[in-house]
Amino acid sequence: MSESAVGRQRTESTLCIEDPGNISYQEFYQEYLQKSKPCIFRNFLESNDWPATMDWIKVILVIIKDLLSLSEVCETETLEQYAKYWKSKRAELKYLKDWHFVQDCKHVGRTNYRAYTTPKYFCSDWLNEWLDFRDCAEDEERTDYRFVYIGPEGSFTPLHTDVFGSFSWSANIVGIKKWTFLPPGEELKVQTSPGNFVFDINSEEAESLQEKNGEVKRVEILQKSGDLIFVPSGWFHQVTNVVDTISINHNWFNAANVSMILNNIRAQLTRVEKEISDCKDDPNWNRLCQDLLRQHHGMNCIDLMDLLILIIRRRMNNENRDDGDGPSELASHRMEDLSTAVKMLEELSSLFSAKDLKEEKKQCDQWISAVNPIC
């Protein structure tokens, strides 16, 4: 199916996703990050000389030969096996998701190959900055939230909101994606049980729930080759690969949405505490809750504290990310980063006090005291 043919398909018009155009970093931060508004940069890659735009269109699978995790459906196979599948008649849909491309390049010694650079609008990335610079145990491998997705025509990602309540951005190297966005709160109309939602917004189950709860407000948009989409926190979305598609995707958060990250962690902690309330007599119950929270949510309150302390320490040393086009733009955020991180530590200090996690409260209070004279 051609891009022009796809473009003629009906899309929803009740909501609008804007193209910010050649907007400044500060304007983008205030208008889209702080207000949590989705947007799409049309033809973004035309003005960005990413090697990926040439290398990956010609040869999709040439960089990594190690094992990688595809998806829950595909299990695990080598990239060579996936390449054979890609060239075959494809009797089944195998969607390569969450490929840690940047990390895998490092693992095989391809550190000099930079397929892309993080756009300046998304360089204030506390999550990946923490994962890159935090102290790791000797037997612990580093990870990140920078991914490559390779999806055959018809593959899709079901209705969801992004990990931790983070922002995300997605750049189409080649292909077309159809995005369906739900403004915050609209997902409740297709909630199947507390905290659970329909798999497919276009399913009969979703239609039945809307007959009872009201029609979901949504906006559908086609992302074509070279387009880049920003997905704000709290917006449920569903994505279909209309044709064979390769995209680069990052999850991240910063001063603009870290309060939502903390709120989501608190909500998940409450769920964990209810699930193991029968063990509350255990003297280590609060630490057990934190351990289970990390296992099920991917991050607990102690992890967030560690992240905030790293951001404070680096900003006090005037250190920012150095892997994108916007380090000079980020310098203006130093004081905002510090003051926001302190506010989050103050909230965590209160939480740790209530949970009798004394050592963590002490760490929070020490860093709050260190930063307050600066802010």
Side-chain angles (χ1 to χ4, degrees):
M1 189 182 298
S2 69
E3 292 195 8
S4 59
V6 172
R8 291 194 293 269
Q9 292 182 355
R10 186 182 74 87
T11 60
E12 298 288 338
S13 58
T14 53
L15 298 170
C16 179
I17 293 184
E18 306 165 340
D19 179 354
N22 190 25
I23 193 172
S24 73
Y25 173 80
Q26 194 59 37
E27 289 173 323
F28 183 82
Y29 188 89
Q30 294 172 347
E31 186 64 23
Y32 294 95
L33 296 188
Q34 290 187 324
K35 294 182 180 179
S36 275
K37 287 172 54 179
C39 64
I40 183 167
F41 290 89
R42 294 292 187 189
N43 303 311
F44 180 84
L45 300 187
E46 287 186 2
S47 58
N48 289 268
D49 297 327
W50 288 2
T53 59
M54 294 299 295
D55 299 348
W56 294 4
I57 291 173
K58 294 177 181 177
V59 184
I60 295 175
L61 306 168
V62 295
I63 302 301
I64 310 299
K65 299 299 182 185
D66 292 341
L67 284 173
L68 63 130
S69 177
L70 299 180
S71 74
E72 61 277 5
V73 176
C74 306
E75 302 299 335
T76 299
E77 59 186 58
T78 66
L79 209 53
E80 289 176 321
Q81 290 170 331
Y82 190 75
K84 290 179 181 178
Y85 157 77
W86 192 261
K87 296 173 184 177
S88 71
K89 295 182 179 180
R90 304 182 196 167
E92 59 180 321
L93 291 178
K94 290 186 176 183
Y95 194 173
L96 192 161
K97 297 181 182 180
D98 296 345
W99 177 14
H100 293 266
F101 178 83
V102 173
Q103 288 295 319
D104 280 355
C105 281
K106 293 177 182 177
H107 292 161
V108 297
R110 295 296 298 269
T111 54
N112 292 328
Y113 180 73
R114 299 192 70 183
Y116 65 96
T117 55
T118 302
K120 67 180 182 180
Y121 304 114
F122 316 125
C123 279
S124 179
D125 177 350
W126 290 10
L127 177 59
N128 287 298
E129 183 173 359
W130 173 61
L131 292 169
D132 285 345
F133 294 103
R134 71 188 182 96
D135 294 329
C136 290
E138 288 187 11
D139 59 346
E140 183 182 5
E141 288 192 9
R142 290 196 180 277
T143 187
D144 62 10
Y145 283 87
R146 307 180 186 99
F147 307 112
V148 168
Y149 280 35
I150 302 177
E153 177 180 341
S155 56
F156 91 119
T157 302
L159 186 68
H160 70 286
T161 187
D162 284 322
V163 60
F164 309 136
S166 62
F167 294 143
S168 67
W169 64 266
S170 176
N172 262 15
I173 303 303
V174 63
I176 308 170
K177 290 180 183 287
K178 179 181 179 180
W179 292 73
T180 301
F181 285 97
L182 276 60
E186 289 299 304
E187 74 279 359
L188 298 176
K189 296 175 181 176
V190 287
Q191 183 176 236
T192 56
S193 63
N196 296 296
F197 304 88
V198 294
F199 187 77
D200 182 352
I201 190 63
N202 299 310
S203 65
E204 291 183 4
E205 182 182 24
E207 291 294 330
S208 176
L209 286 167
Q210 288 177 83
E211 289 177 4
K212 181 175 64 175
N213 301 323
E215 185 178 358
V216 168
K217 294 179 181 177
R218 69 178 81 180
V219 58
E220 294 180 350
I221 190 166
L222 291 176
Q223 178 192 20
K224 302 179 182 180
S225 298
D227 293 347
L228 184 150
I229 273 188
F230 164 64
V231 183
S233 295
W235 284 67
F236 274 69
H237 51 283
Q238 180 171 309
V239 190
T240 300
N241 293 312
V242 180
V243 297
D244 292 352
T245 302
I246 310 172
S247 63
I248 295 168
N249 308 271
H250 284 204
N251 292 100
W252 93 105
F253 58 81
N254 58 26
N257 67 333
V258 67
S259 61
M260 178 173 286
I261 307 304
L262 177 54
N263 289 340
N264 286 342
I265 289 176
R266 279 175 170 155
Q268 293 301 317
L269 177 59
T270 299
R271 293 182 67 178
V272 167
E273 289 174 339
K274 287 181 180 178
E275 288 173 5
I276 61 167
S277 58
D278 57 331
C279 303
K280 203 165 185 178
D281 291 338
D282 188 321
N284 294 315
W285 184 74
N286 282 306
R287 293 203 177 277
L288 176 60
C289 288
Q290 291 297 322
D291 290 343
L292 290 174
L293 178 59
R294 179 185 289 139
Q295 290 176 27
H296 294 290
H297 186 60
M299 178 181 288
N300 63 21
C301 300
I302 300 169
D303 295 328
L304 184 59
M305 177 194 72
D306 187 64
L307 181 153
L308 294 167
I309 289 172
L310 181 139
I311 294 299
I312 288 172
R313 187 174 68 245
R314 288 177 57 80
R315 296 303 178 270
M316 290 178 74
N317 292 330
N318 291 309
E319 294 175 312
N320 287 296
R321 298 264 353 135
D322 60 358
D323 62 350
D325 299 325
S328 61
E329 306 273 6
L330 301 185
S332 62
H333 278 298
R334 177 175 177 266
M335 294 309 296
E336 181 177 355
D337 283 358
L338 285 169
S339 61
T340 302
V342 165
K343 288 178 183 176
M344 295 300 100
L345 282 184
E346 288 172 344
E347 293 196 34
L348 283 173
S349 177
S350 297
L351 184 149
F352 291 141
S353 178
K355 306 299 181 185
D356 198 31
L357 296 172
K358 296 178 181 178
E359 181 57 36
E360 287 74 16
K361 174 178 167 50
K362 181 180 178 181
Q363 288 187 62
C364 288
D365 293 345
Q366 286 175 340
W367 281 98
I368 291 167
S369 297
V371 178
N372 273 335
I374 301 174
C375 295

